């Protein structure tokens, strides 16, 4: 098999190609990492942070319902009853939004407790609308209040879990970003490092060949027409030396 003739041009092209390959690899890796980080950040905002805000809003809503219910049983005011009904509808909407999110956390227990609370709340509302205040007060203290307290405890736990999950995600996000940056920089410098021997070989080869051609030219100028330049490279300078000797 005929050996490849590595001319100066091919050596320079090989070094340049090496730099380009590693630089493109670093760019592709950085873009892939950026896409992954963008997807994760979008999920963090649209799911995790949204779930945390919904959970906090639901917890506050339940506390507001408890306060309004107690005020209504004492004052028996229609405006308070209307406001309580509005808060209950708001809680249902918040829960639907929270349950629809693709959370990694298990909401089965909270969902069951919420369904039970909503069912018992309907009976409590019927008593309030019928103005059966004594029965409503008894039902509120013995049924709704314990269910509401249990829900508040579950939302407290859920909020804590969500905050921990967000903190872990942010920590992993920072570590992955730092790792992607380091790998991209390493790939870029690795390309430069590997191309350096090629560049140095070309530079020294050119310098050595030119020096010997200058010596041969000086020898010919001094009258030594049979001087043979000691250049055996298989590149453009080797061709020039052979032409010079001919």
């Amino acid at each position: 098999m005929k050996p490849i003739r590595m001319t100066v041009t091919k050596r320079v092209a090989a070094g340049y190609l090496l730099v380009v390959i590693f630089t493109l690899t670093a760019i592709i890796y950085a873009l892939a990492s950026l896409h992954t980080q963008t997807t994760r950040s979008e999920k963090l905002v649209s799911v995790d942070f949204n779930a945390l805000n919904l959970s906090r809003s639901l917890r506050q809503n339940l506390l507001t319902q408890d306060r309004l219910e107690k005020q209504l049983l004492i004052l028996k005011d229609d405006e308070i009853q209307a406001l309580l009904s509005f808060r209950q509808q708001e809680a249902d909407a918040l829960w639907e939004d929270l349950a629809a999110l693709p959370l990694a956390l298990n909401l089965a227990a909270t969902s069951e407790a919420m369904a039970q609370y909503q069912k018992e709340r309907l009976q409590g509302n019927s008593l309030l609308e019928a103005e059966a205040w004594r029965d409503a007060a008894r039902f509120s203290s013995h049924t709704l209040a314990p269910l509401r307290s249990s829900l508040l405890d579950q939302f407290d736990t859920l909020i804590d879990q969500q905050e921990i999950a967000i903190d872990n995600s942010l920590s992993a996000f920072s570590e992955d970003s730092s790792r992607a940056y380091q790998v991209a920089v390493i790939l870029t410098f690795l390309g430069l490092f590997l191309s350096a021997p090629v560049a140095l070989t070309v530079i020294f080869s050119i310098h050595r060949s030119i020096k010997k051609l200058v010596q041969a030219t000086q020898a010919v100028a001094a009258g030594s027409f049979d001087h043979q330049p000691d250049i055996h490279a298989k590149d453009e300078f080797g061709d020039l030396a052979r032409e010079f000797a001919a």
Side-chain angles (χ1 to χ4, degrees), residues 14-173:
Y16 177 76
L17 183 62
L18 199 60
V19 174
V20 170
I21 290 174
F22 275 90
T23 302
L24 285 177
T25 302
I27 292 174
I28 293 172
Y29 178 83
L31 289 176
S33 299
L34 179 62
H35 175 72
T36 301
Q37 300 290 23
T38 301
T39 302
R40 289 177 61 183
S41 63
E42 289 175 352
K43 188 257 182 187
L44 192 64
V45 172
S46 62
V47 177
D48 297 337
F49 277 110
N50 193 21
L52 180 60
N53 289 331
L54 288 171
S55 298
R56 287 173 174 171
S57 297
L58 268 167
R59 185 185 183 281
Q60 185 60 42
N61 183 285
L62 289 172
L63 291 173
T64 303
Q65 285 186 48
D66 183 70
R67 187 184 73 251
L68 290 172
E69 192 173 276
K70 290 177 180 178
Q71 291 176 354
L72 177 60
L73 291 171
I74 295 173
L75 300 176
K76 304 175 179 58
D77 186 271
D78 291 341
E79 292 184 1
I80 298 177
Q81 188 168 357
L83 185 56
L84 176 61
S85 177
F86 172 78
R87 289 299 185 184
Q88 290 173 349
Q89 294 174 7
E90 182 184 55
D92 292 342
L94 289 171
W95 172 249
E96 288 180 4
D97 290 341
L98 179 61
L101 293 175
L103 292 174
L105 301 175
N106 188 0
L107 295 179
T110 307
S111 179
E112 183 178 350
M114 191 69 181
Q116 181 66 21
Y117 174 72
Q118 290 172 330
K119 177 183 177 181
E120 298 297 340
R121 194 186 64 195
L122 292 175
Q123 185 176 348
N125 288 342
S126 298
L127 294 173
L128 292 173
E129 291 171 359
E131 297 184 355
W133 304 113
R134 182 174 298 178
D135 292 339
R138 187 182 304 109
F139 186 79
S140 175
S141 61
H142 290 93
T143 303
L144 290 181
L147 287 175
R148 193 180 295 121
S149 178
S150 175
L151 266 178
L152 287 170
D153 291 340
Q154 293 196 39
F155 277 116
D156 285 337
T157 301
L158 182 61
I159 289 171
D160 290 339
Q161 292 175 343
Q162 289 170 338
E163 289 176 344
I164 292 173
I166 289 174
D167 288 341
N168 292 337
S169 296
L170 290 174
S171 178
F173 185 86

Side-chain angles (χ1 to χ4, degrees), residues 209-229 244:
S209 298
I210 291 177
K211 183 177 180 180
K212 290 181 178 180
L213 284 173
V214 169
Q215 292 174 351
T217 302
Q218 292 173 344
V220 171
S224 179
F225 297 102
D226 58 348
H227 180 81
Q228 298 289 333
F244 189 90

